Amino acid sequence: MSSIPEKSPARSHPHRFPHRGFLPEGRYFTLTWGIGYDYGGMTTVALERSSAFARLDNRSVEILTLSPEMKGQNRGRELRAEGRIDRRVTVRNLWDDLTSWPDRKLRRMVGTIEPDHTSAEDVMERTAQDWSETQKDSEDKLLQVDRYHDRGHLLVIDRHDMKKRGHRGGRRITLFDRDQKVIAQWSTARDFYHAWLDVVIGTKPSYLICDSAFVGNFIHEYRRDNVILSQVVHSHHLAGANGAESSEFAEGKFGFLTRIDGFDLVVTLTDRQRKDLERLRLSAGKLRTVSNLTEDLNGDPDKPRVRGQGAMIARLVPQKRVGDAITAIATAVGEGAEVMLDVYGEGEDRTELADLIDGNNLANSVKLHGHTPSAKTNFRSHSFSLLTSQSEGQGLVVLESLSAGCIPICYDVDFGPADIIEHGVNGYLVPNGDIDALANTISEFMSLPESVVAEMRGNAVARAADFFEVPIVRRWGEVLAKTSFAPITRVEGARAEAETVDVDTDAVTVSVRVSDLGEADPEQIFLSWKSRTGTFFGRVETRRDESGVTAVIPQTRFEYITEGYVDFSLDLVFKRGFERVRITSSDDTIVNRQGKMSLYSTKYGNLSGRIDQCHEDAAGAREGFTSTS
């Protein structure tokens, strides 16, 4: 059982009592794009963590959202009514704020470009009473959005065709007061969002935890001395989920994964994923592991259950491979096992899975229940659960299953199951994608003596306790307490110039002179590369001496990039600060001998490379390359 403190009486005010010391002092914010109604894993985790912070430490927590689709939804009230967030947690939306703030508060939004006071002339004709008017081109690409104040006057013009009217390219966001006068302008949505965050967060010491990969891809540049910026990695970081070094990264996470050192803290849910990211050299010490927390579902190890009653909570999408679970049940039933599976979730694969059930005559054995509120409570009455995903950030449903005393049977995928489950003790790990092994494990579980199963259920509940609110919030407190509010180091004028570049069959060796750092002294310097197409990225730490830095990149680090170009930079990592500086070069510093990568100087004088698919010395065969072998 958890030792979670009792909740304060509903009538008490959260500020009448001091914080309880689980977390360091400061204001707390959770940042995400939006909060939908399907309550996927990331959303559930963000809501539960915010509530745990508020409840255990007796503090206010704000969930900040950016999506215009959330305007007017009053999700905070809905979530409290559903019991999903603590009363101390509030949900705040950018567009709700802007459409309700008075002019004096809107003027606190600081622009980043010189304002054009004729911008009001760009307004489109208003065709309805909706708060937004949009214009798109013939290819259905957005050209402009006009947003209106709740009282009806123009609030924002967001143009996406600044280079040529009617043709997508270039952006300008303009904020107006009630008299339709320009307050401020921004050339990127990122800077616009940052301006809102500055108003909301203010200047007091604050902790901002971003749960959205999409938001993380641009929020890494939100660096303020008084804000500890954290990003949570909720799912696999590689496109192929194969764990290979220098493999292609997940497209939706590429922006923040390539700039981990731009955050104060990046949190993985498992040690295995943290070590994998460290092995890829993506961080200079910014990575920490803090697991998801799970609710105490009061699982009773001794409660009688139908041994063959299984449960599965998963979206019906290809990534979850629910068809594998259904096929395994079909195999077990065909071998005489009396098993049934209840599947809770909805998605694009529903029709295909229904056909699979019908085709295997499983109408009495497998039920698709669709989206079911509080589906996790069904684990209390079911005997075992299945997880067949291609990959997991951790596997929240595994924790929920353990907490309910329901024995998890899981594919051994990256990441999560193996960090949680001890095979045969509190659950089972099955070779990834092996449906026959999954079916055999179900049958094996069916054949166990009841005393053994009861012991396993007890072990499962005990393991789940490691992930209840108190230990996880304490862990957050530990990692946040080790971050620093020291001033952020900025060296925007830093320069990196290649002095010698040597390419052979084994490695690319680059020596670089670094200048214009002022008084700043990087703690570590890396040489990084990023593909122009695809999502390939890598870096190596440099060796420093009096004349500069030298990096040696094994040619094997490029083996997963099959074609195209890569660009090289220096990553300067400070105690609190990060700068990526493009490396300048000239052709007479480059020696291409033989290898997969041939380097050259671009027309802008920067160091880049081209992948040689044939592994031949193509340096002399392509215009613009220098070879002096």
Side-chain angles (χ1 to χ4, degrees), residues 339-383:
V339 293
M340 295 170 287
L341 181 66
D342 291 307
V343 182
Y344 303 95
E346 196 56 83
E348 63 193 67
D349 285 356
R350 183 182 182 91
T351 300
E352 178 182 332
L353 296 173
D355 290 342
L356 182 63
I357 292 169
D358 290 342
N360 284 277
N361 297 315
L362 295 174
N364 295 323
S365 300
V366 179
K367 303 291 185 183
L368 300 179
H369 293 273
H371 174 67
T372 305
S374 300
K376 61 187 175 184
T377 59
N378 290 286
F379 285 140
R380 287 198 291 251
S381 58
H382 286 63
S383 185

Coordinates of all heavy atoms in Angstrom, one line a residue, residues 339-383:
V339 N -9.1 -19.2 -22.7 CA -8.7 -17.8 -22.4 C -9.6 -16.8 -23.2 O -10.2 -17.2 -24.2 CB -7.2 -17.6 -22.9 CG1 -6.3 -18.4 -22.0 CG2 -7.1 -17.9 -24.4
M340 N -9.7 -15.6 -22.6 CA -10.5 -14.5 -23.2 C -9.7 -13.3 -23.1 O -8.9 -13.1 -22.1 CB -11.9 -14.4 -22.5 CG -12.8 -15.6 -22.7 SD -14.2 -15.5 -21.6 CE -13.5 -15.8 -20.0
L341 N -9.9 -12.3 -24.0 CA -9.2 -11.1 -24.0 C -10.2 -9.9 -24.2 O -10.9 -9.9 -25.2 CB -8.1 -11.1 -25.1 CG -7.2 -9.8 -25.2 CD1 -6.4 -9.7 -23.9 CD2 -6.4 -9.8 -26.4
D342 N -10.2 -9.0 -23.3 CA -10.9 -7.7 -23.4 C -9.9 -6.6 -23.8 O -8.9 -6.4 -23.1 CB -11.6 -7.4 -22.1 CG -12.7 -8.3 -21.7 OD1 -13.6 -8.5 -22.6 OD2 -12.7 -8.8 -20.6
V343 N -10.2 -6.0 -25.0 CA -9.3 -4.9 -25.5 C -10.0 -3.6 -25.3 O -11.1 -3.4 -25.8 CB -9.0 -5.2 -27.0 CG1 -8.0 -4.1 -27.5 CG2 -8.4 -6.6 -27.2
Y344 N -9.4 -2.7 -24.6 CA -9.9 -1.3 -24.4 C -9.1 -0.3 -25.2 O -7.9 -0.1 -24.9 CB -9.9 -1.0 -22.9 CG -10.6 -2.0 -22.0 CD1 -9.9 -3.1 -21.4 CD2 -12.0 -1.9 -21.9 CE1 -10.6 -4.0 -20.7 CE2 -12.7 -2.9 -21.1 CZ -12.0 -3.9 -20.5 OH -12.6 -4.8 -19.8
G345 N -9.7 0.3 -26.1 CA -9.0 1.3 -26.9 C -9.7 1.5 -28.3 O -10.5 0.6 -28.7
E346 N -9.4 2.6 -28.9 CA -10.0 2.8 -30.3 C -8.9 3.2 -31.2 O -7.8 3.7 -30.8 CB -11.0 3.9 -30.1 CG -12.0 4.0 -31.3 CD -12.7 2.7 -31.6 OE1 -13.7 2.4 -30.9 OE2 -12.2 2.0 -32.5
G347 N -9.1 3.1 -32.5 CA -8.1 3.5 -33.5 C -8.4 3.0 -34.9 O -9.4 2.4 -35.1
E348 N -7.5 3.4 -35.8 CA -7.7 3.1 -37.2 C -7.7 1.7 -37.6 O -8.2 1.3 -38.6 CB -6.6 3.8 -38.0 CG -5.2 3.3 -37.7 CD -4.1 4.2 -38.2 OE1 -3.9 5.3 -37.7 OE2 -3.4 3.7 -39.1
D349 N -7.2 0.8 -36.7 CA -7.1 -0.6 -37.1 C -8.4 -1.4 -36.6 O -8.4 -2.6 -36.7 CB -5.9 -1.3 -36.4 CG -4.6 -0.9 -37.1 OD1 -4.7 -0.2 -38.1 OD2 -3.5 -1.3 -36.6
R350 N -9.4 -0.7 -36.1 CA -10.5 -1.5 -35.5 C -11.1 -2.4 -36.5 O -11.4 -3.6 -36.2 CB -11.5 -0.5 -35.0 CG -12.7 -1.2 -34.3 CD -13.8 -0.3 -33.8 NE -14.8 -1.0 -33.1 CZ -14.9 -1.3 -31.8 NH1 -13.9 -0.8 -31.1 NH2 -15.8 -2.0 -31.3
T351 N -11.4 -2.0 -37.7 CA -12.1 -2.8 -38.7 C -11.2 -4.0 -39.1 O -11.7 -5.2 -39.1 CB -12.4 -2.0 -40.0 OG1 -13.2 -0.9 -39.7 CG2 -13.0 -2.9 -41.1
E352 N -9.9 -3.8 -39.3 CA -9.0 -4.9 -39.6 C -9.0 -5.9 -38.4 O -9.0 -7.1 -38.6 CB -7.6 -4.3 -39.8 CG -6.6 -5.4 -40.1 CD -5.2 -4.8 -40.3 OE1 -5.1 -3.6 -40.8 OE2 -4.2 -5.4 -40.0
L353 N -8.9 -5.4 -37.2 CA -8.9 -6.3 -36.0 C -10.2 -7.1 -35.9 O -10.2 -8.2 -35.5 CB -8.5 -5.5 -34.8 CG -7.2 -4.8 -34.8 CD1 -7.0 -3.9 -33.5 CD2 -6.1 -5.9 -34.8
A354 N -11.3 -6.4 -36.1 CA -12.6 -7.1 -36.1 C -12.7 -8.2 -37.1 O -13.2 -9.3 -36.8 CB -13.7 -6.1 -36.3
D355 N -12.1 -8.0 -38.3 CA -12.1 -9.1 -39.3 C -11.2 -10.2 -38.8 O -11.5 -11.4 -39.1 CB -11.5 -8.5 -40.6 CG -12.5 -7.6 -41.3 OD1 -13.7 -7.6 -40.9 OD2 -12.1 -6.8 -42.2
L356 N -10.1 -9.9 -38.2 CA -9.2 -10.9 -37.6 C -9.9 -11.8 -36.6 O -9.7 -13.0 -36.6 CB -7.9 -10.3 -37.1 CG -6.8 -11.2 -36.5 CD1 -6.3 -12.1 -37.6 CD2 -5.7 -10.4 -35.8
I357 N -10.7 -11.1 -35.8 CA -11.4 -11.9 -34.7 C -12.4 -12.8 -35.4 O -12.5 -14.0 -35.1 CB -12.1 -10.9 -33.8 CG1 -11.1 -10.1 -33.0 CG2 -13.1 -11.6 -32.9 CD1 -11.7 -8.9 -32.2
D358 N -13.2 -12.2 -36.4 CA -14.2 -13.1 -37.1 C -13.5 -14.2 -37.8 O -14.0 -15.3 -37.8 CB -15.0 -12.2 -38.0 CG -15.9 -11.2 -37.3 OD1 -16.2 -11.4 -36.1 OD2 -16.3 -10.2 -38.0
G359 N -12.4 -13.9 -38.5 CA -11.7 -14.9 -39.3 C -11.2 -16.1 -38.5 O -11.0 -17.2 -39.0
N360 N -10.9 -15.8 -37.2 CA -10.4 -16.9 -36.3 C -11.5 -17.4 -35.4 O -11.2 -18.2 -34.4 CB -9.2 -16.4 -35.5 CG -8.0 -16.3 -36.3 OD1 -7.2 -17.2 -36.5 ND2 -7.7 -15.1 -36.8
N361 N -12.8 -17.1 -35.7 CA -13.9 -17.6 -34.8 C -13.7 -17.2 -33.4 O -13.9 -18.1 -32.5 CB -14.1 -19.1 -35.0 CG -14.5 -19.4 -36.5 OD1 -15.3 -18.7 -37.1 ND2 -13.8 -20.4 -37.0
L362 N -13.3 -16.0 -33.1 CA -13.0 -15.6 -31.7 C -14.0 -14.7 -31.1 O -13.7 -14.0 -30.1 CB -11.6 -14.9 -31.6 CG -10.4 -15.8 -32.0 CD1 -9.1 -14.9 -32.1 CD2 -10.2 -16.9 -31.0
A363 N -15.2 -14.7 -31.7 CA -16.2 -13.8 -31.2 C -16.5 -13.9 -29.7 O -16.9 -13.0 -29.0 CB -17.5 -14.0 -32.0
N364 N -16.4 -15.2 -29.2 CA -16.6 -15.4 -27.8 C -15.3 -15.3 -26.9 O -15.4 -15.5 -25.7 CB -17.2 -16.8 -27.6 CG -18.6 -16.9 -28.2 OD1 -19.4 -16.0 -28.1 ND2 -18.9 -18.1 -28.8
S365 N -14.2 -15.0 -27.6 CA -12.9 -15.0 -26.9 C -12.3 -13.7 -26.8 O -11.5 -13.4 -25.9 CB -12.0 -16.0 -27.5 OG -12.5 -17.3 -27.5
V366 N -12.5 -12.8 -27.8 CA -11.9 -11.5 -27.9 C -13.0 -10.4 -28.1 O -13.8 -10.5 -29.0 CB -10.8 -11.4 -29.0 CG1 -10.2 -10.0 -29.0 CG2 -9.8 -12.4 -28.8
K367 N -13.0 -9.4 -27.2 CA -14.0 -8.3 -27.3 C -13.2 -7.0 -27.5 O -12.3 -6.7 -26.7 CB -14.8 -8.3 -26.0 CG -15.6 -9.5 -25.7 CD -16.7 -9.8 -26.7 CE -17.5 -11.1 -26.3 NZ -18.5 -11.4 -27.3
L368 N -13.7 -6.2 -28.5 CA -13.1 -4.9 -28.7 C -14.1 -3.9 -28.0 O -15.2 -3.7 -28.5 CB -13.0 -4.5 -30.1 CG -12.0 -5.4 -31.0 CD1 -12.0 -5.0 -32.4 CD2 -10.6 -5.4 -30.4
H369 N -13.7 -3.3 -26.9 CA -14.7 -2.5 -26.1 C -14.6 -1.0 -26.5 O -15.4 -0.2 -26.0 CB -14.4 -2.6 -24.6 CG -14.6 -4.0 -24.0 ND1 -15.9 -4.3 -23.6 CD2 -13.8 -5.1 -23.9 CE1 -15.8 -5.6 -23.1 NE2 -14.6 -6.1 -23.3
G370 N -13.6 -0.6 -27.3 CA -13.5 0.8 -27.7 C -12.9 1.6 -26.6 O -12.5 1.1 -25.5
H371 N -12.9 2.9 -26.7 CA -12.4 3.8 -25.7 C -13.3 3.7 -24.4 O -14.6 3.8 -24.5 CB -12.4 5.2 -26.1 CG -12.1 6.2 -25.1 ND1 -10.8 6.3 -24.5 CD2 -12.8 7.2 -24.4 CE1 -10.8 7.2 -23.6 NE2 -12.0 7.8 -23.5
T372 N -12.7 3.4 -23.3 CA -13.5 3.2 -22.1 C -12.9 4.0 -21.0 O -11.7 3.8 -20.6 CB -13.4 1.7 -21.6 OG1 -13.9 0.8 -22.7 CG2 -14.2 1.4 -20.4
P373 N -13.6 5.0 -20.4 CA -13.1 5.8 -19.3 C -12.7 4.8 -18.1 O -13.3 3.9 -17.8 CB -14.3 6.6 -18.9 CG -15.1 6.7 -20.2 CD -15.0 5.4 -20.8
S374 N -11.5 5.2 -17.5 CA -11.0 4.4 -16.4 C -10.8 3.0 -16.7 O -11.1 2.1 -15.9 CB -12.0 4.6 -15.1 OG -12.1 5.9 -14.8
A375 N -10.4 2.7 -17.9 CA -10.2 1.3 -18.4 C -9.2 0.6 -17.4 O -9.3 -0.6 -17.2 CB -9.6 1.3 -19.8
K376 N -8.2 1.3 -16.8 CA -7.2 0.6 -16.0 C -7.9 -0.1 -14.8 O -7.3 -1.0 -14.2 CB -6.2 1.7 -15.5 CG -6.8 2.8 -14.7 CD -5.7 3.8 -14.4 CE -6.3 5.0 -13.7 NZ -5.3 6.1 -13.5
T377 N -9.0 0.4 -14.3 CA -9.7 -0.3 -13.2 C -10.1 -1.7 -13.5 O -10.2 -2.6 -12.6 CB -10.9 0.5 -12.7 OG1 -11.9 0.5 -13.8 CG2 -10.5 1.9 -12.3
N378 N -10.2 -2.1 -14.8 CA -10.5 -3.4 -15.2 C -9.4 -4.4 -14.9 O -9.6 -5.6 -14.8 CB -10.8 -3.5 -16.7 CG -12.1 -2.9 -17.0 OD1 -13.2 -3.4 -16.7 ND2 -12.1 -1.7 -17.6
F379 N -8.1 -3.9 -14.7 CA -7.0 -4.8 -14.3 C -7.3 -5.4 -13.0 O -6.7 -6.5 -12.7 CB -5.7 -4.0 -14.3 CG -5.2 -3.6 -15.6 CD1 -4.6 -2.4 -15.9 CD2 -5.1 -4.5 -16.7 CE1 -4.0 -2.0 -17.1 CE2 -4.6 -4.2 -17.9 CZ -4.0 -3.0 -18.1
R380 N -8.1 -4.8 -12.1 CA -8.3 -5.4 -10.8 C -9.1 -6.7 -10.9 O -9.0 -7.5 -9.9 CB -9.1 -4.4 -9.9 CG -8.2 -3.2 -9.5 CD -8.9 -2.5 -8.3 NE -10.1 -1.8 -8.7 CZ -10.2 -0.5 -8.7 NH1 -9.2 0.3 -8.4 NH2 -11.3 0.1 -9.1
S381 N -9.9 -6.9 -11.9 CA -10.7 -8.1 -12.0 C -10.1 -9.1 -13.0 O -10.6 -10.2 -13.1 CB -12.1 -7.7 -12.4 OG -12.2 -7.0 -13.6
H382 N -9.1 -8.7 -13.8 CA -8.6 -9.6 -14.8 C -7.3 -10.2 -14.3 O -6.7 -9.7 -13.4 CB -8.3 -8.8 -16.1 CG -9.5 -8.4 -16.9 ND1 -10.5 -7.6 -16.4 CD2 -9.9 -8.8 -18.1 CE1 -11.5 -7.4 -17.3 NE2 -11.2 -8.2 -18.3
S383 N -7.0 -11.4 -14.9 CA -5.9 -12.2 -14.4 C -4.6 -11.8 -15.0 O -3.6 -11.8 -14.3 CB -6.2 -13.7 -14.7 OG -5.3 -14.5 -14.1

